[in-house]
Amino acid sequence: MRYGGARPTARGWAFSAVGLVALVGGPALGQRDILRIGVLLVVLVLVAVWSTGRAVRTLELVSRSKDELVEAGVASSVRLSVLGRARAGVRLVVEDAAPLALGGTARLPVPRLREGETLDLEYRVRSEVRGSYALGPATVVAGDVFGLVRARRVLGEPVVLDVLPRVHPLTELTLGELGGARGSSASASAAAAPDDVSIREYRIGDDLRRVHWRSTARRGAVMVRSDEHPGRPDVVVLLDTREGAHRGRGAGSSLEWAISAAASAASHLQRRRHRVRLLHDGTYDPPRELDETSSVRGLMRSLARLRPGAPDGLARSVTELGRAEATLLVAFLGDVDEDDVAPLLAARPLGVPALAVLLRTDDWASAPAPRDSGEGAAEAGPARLERARLVLARAGWRTAVAGPADAVPDVWARLTRVDARGHHSPAPSTREVPS
């Protein structure tokens, strides 16, 4: 616990100066009343220094707690427990430092406490922007009733509060042809399936080689065998975090839109018992060996603390993707062209359904950021984006294009919509994109 000592306020310094002048000038002028006033002022300041310096030591921080997971735009509580007693004539306030993004420093008055009594203090924080913020350290501030002296003492150490990106409710993926296992492996697996295994309805992420065709034909819905799940591969959420691939600033940037969309997709799939791993800047986060609960928290914290990545971040992620196994691939891409997405076609695990959201990043800024010089560098962004989308779509990817006016749930609905024949039929985006 660090003790800052008792120091006079501006009023205290004024009282001290007047008192000293009266102590010197009273005898010189032969005015005892002035001398008495000087003694009174000086003694008053000294008593205030003593009382506040003593009182600031009467509080101890017992515990500090905060909500484990906090979402952007949602208020949460921070709780402090202090032990001690407040002395008469001295006002105690506990201050907990917080950045302006969370509402600024909280000031919590402490009433008079009996010896050994514990007091629980609570305040609310709220941030509209995801991120990792420092809370504290808590400080007890003691002041006399005349406001002459302040004493400060630090209680405990600062803690980190992670504000997660906004998570939007998403619609279920419609059952139907999602792409996937090709050739005879799926059929052979289904044909060899015994009739006495447990059958359930298909969920996105299930291995299509385990489709039970007899039950599917009988019920009119895709059914799968659920007799074995150990070793199920991951669902991979690929996030393009390259700083040069995004536009805009702060909470209104294309990167923040992509992070919120990735968090929504990851949360949506994890709630349905799919193991989700985040891939960005060539790194999987969190590590595969974490248990399910830790994995969920680790993934969300990673998104909360994520910063813009390096120019080669997408290329390194594609390299890592090519070494992985997965049951579903979901990609959120920034400013890309044909050359950026072409490696994704080869890196996509064989037979795995793949979804991609491509962002019209130029719409997040009044003037688009310049790209590398070279052939096609000055080409209009929408045309580049449309050709990149067509490259993915022709390779069997489901695609959707999103701009700043598009809500994440609406884009997800376009991405996952199928028609009566089971074919992907994305609705048009809010802005026409030239081919």
Side-chain angles (χ1 to χ4, degrees):
M1 306 293 180
R2 298 189 297 276
Y3 173 52
R7 297 182 180 181
T9 62
R11 182 184 298 177
W13 285 116
F15 271 52
S16 300
V18 172
L20 291 175
V21 169
L23 285 175
V24 174
L29 296 175
Q31 297 291 328
R32 291 190 175 183
D33 290 340
I34 294 179
L35 178 61
R36 293 189 185 99
I37 292 174
V39 171
L40 176 62
L41 293 179
V42 171
V43 169
L44 191 61
V45 173
L46 292 176
V47 170
V49 170
W50 175 81
S51 62
T52 55
R54 186 181 180 191
V56 80
R57 294 184 174 91
T58 63
L59 282 184
E60 297 291 340
L61 181 64
V62 177
S63 66
R64 169 197 283 276
S65 63
K66 56 183 176 60
D67 293 339
E68 192 68 21
L69 299 177
V70 180
E71 185 178 334
V74 179
S76 65
S77 298
V78 178
R79 293 165 289 277
L80 305 171
S81 294
V82 294
L83 173 67
R85 59 189 178 91
R87 296 183 178 277
V90 177
R91 293 177 295 186
L92 293 181
V93 175
V94 172
E95 296 182 350
D96 201 24
L100 290 177
L102 293 178
T105 298
R107 293 174 174 82
L108 311 169
V110 180
R112 184 178 301 180
L113 300 176
R114 295 189 299 272
E115 187 73 35
E117 183 179 358
T118 300
L119 175 68
D120 293 325
L121 303 172
E122 182 177 338
Y123 67 96
R124 307 282 280 176
V125 295
R126 176 190 175 106
S127 175
E128 298 298 328
V129 183
R130 65 156 189 103
S132 187
Y133 301 94
L135 287 177
T139 304
V140 57
V141 180
D144 65 288
V145 294
F146 298 107
L148 302 178
V149 177
R150 289 286 185 273
R152 305 177 69 88
R153 180 164 163 262
V154 176
L155 305 176
E157 299 295 333
V159 296
V160 175
L161 176 68
D162 291 319
V163 178
L164 311 182
R166 293 180 186 269
V167 175
H168 304 272
L170 303 181
T171 57
E172 291 284 355
L173 285 175
T174 307
L175 297 179
E177 179 58 47
L178 297 177
R182 304 181 184 89
S184 61
S185 60
S187 301
S189 175
D195 293 333
D196 57 350
V197 296
S198 176
I199 304 296
R200 61 169 173 80
E201 191 173 11
Y202 174 86
R203 290 196 299 259
I204 185 65
D206 288 332
D207 190 345
L208 293 182
R209 289 173 297 180
R210 299 177 61 245
V211 172
H212 194 269
W213 297 107
R214 187 177 302 173
S215 298
T216 297
R218 184 171 60 252
R219 300 191 185 187
V222 180
M223 308 298 292
V224 296
R225 294 177 292 112
S226 60
D227 53 327
E228 55 180 0
H229 265 295
R232 180 181 56 191
D234 304 316
V235 173
V236 176
V237 175
L238 172 62
L239 182 59
D240 180 8
T241 61
R242 296 171 299 157
E243 185 172 14
H246 291 277
R247 308 286 185 271
R249 295 182 178 179
S253 68
S254 60
L255 177 60
E256 294 303 318
W257 194 101
I259 290 173
S260 178
S264 301
S267 177
H268 175 77
L269 294 168
Q270 283 175 329
R271 284 198 301 268
R272 283 146 186 83
R273 298 183 176 275
H274 299 297
R275 186 172 54 194
V276 181
R277 301 185 72 200
L278 175 68
L279 176 58
H280 66 95
D281 284 316
T283 303
Y284 282 102
D285 213 348
R288 173 177 286 178
E289 56 268 17
L290 293 179
D291 60 72
E292 184 175 351
T293 301
S294 299
S295 177
V296 172
R297 293 179 178 178
L299 189 149
M300 290 301 172
R301 284 199 177 98
S302 296
L303 287 171
R305 301 176 181 181
L306 190 146
R307 294 292 179 266
D312 63 341
L314 180 59
R316 289 190 286 112
S317 293
V318 171
T319 300
E320 285 298 318
L321 180 64
R323 305 181 183 132
E325 292 184 358
T327 54
L328 174 67
L329 171 60
V330 185
F332 296 93
L333 305 175
D335 187 13
V336 293
D337 56 24
E338 296 168 273
D339 293 336
D340 293 324
V341 301
L344 278 171
L345 307 185
R348 170 188 175 186
L350 181 64
V352 170
L355 317 176
V357 176
L358 296 86
L359 303 186
R360 293 194 309 270
T361 56
D362 289 349
D363 290 359
W364 266 272
S366 56
R371 291 176 61 89
D372 294 336
S373 59
E375 184 179 355
E379 185 183 6
R384 260 195 337 263
L385 186 70
E386 175 62 11
R387 283 210 299 272
R389 188 195 69 79
L390 289 174
V391 168
L392 293 174
R394 288 165 180 165
W397 288 58
R398 288 190 175 194
T399 61
V401 177
D406 294 311
V408 172
D410 295 339
V411 175
W412 181 261
R414 294 204 305 266
L415 186 69
T416 60
R417 183 180 291 114
V418 295
D419 58 24
R421 296 173 298 173
H423 297 150
H424 176 40
S425 54
S429 58
T430 56
R431 170 179 163 179
E432 291 297 326
V433 180
S435 58

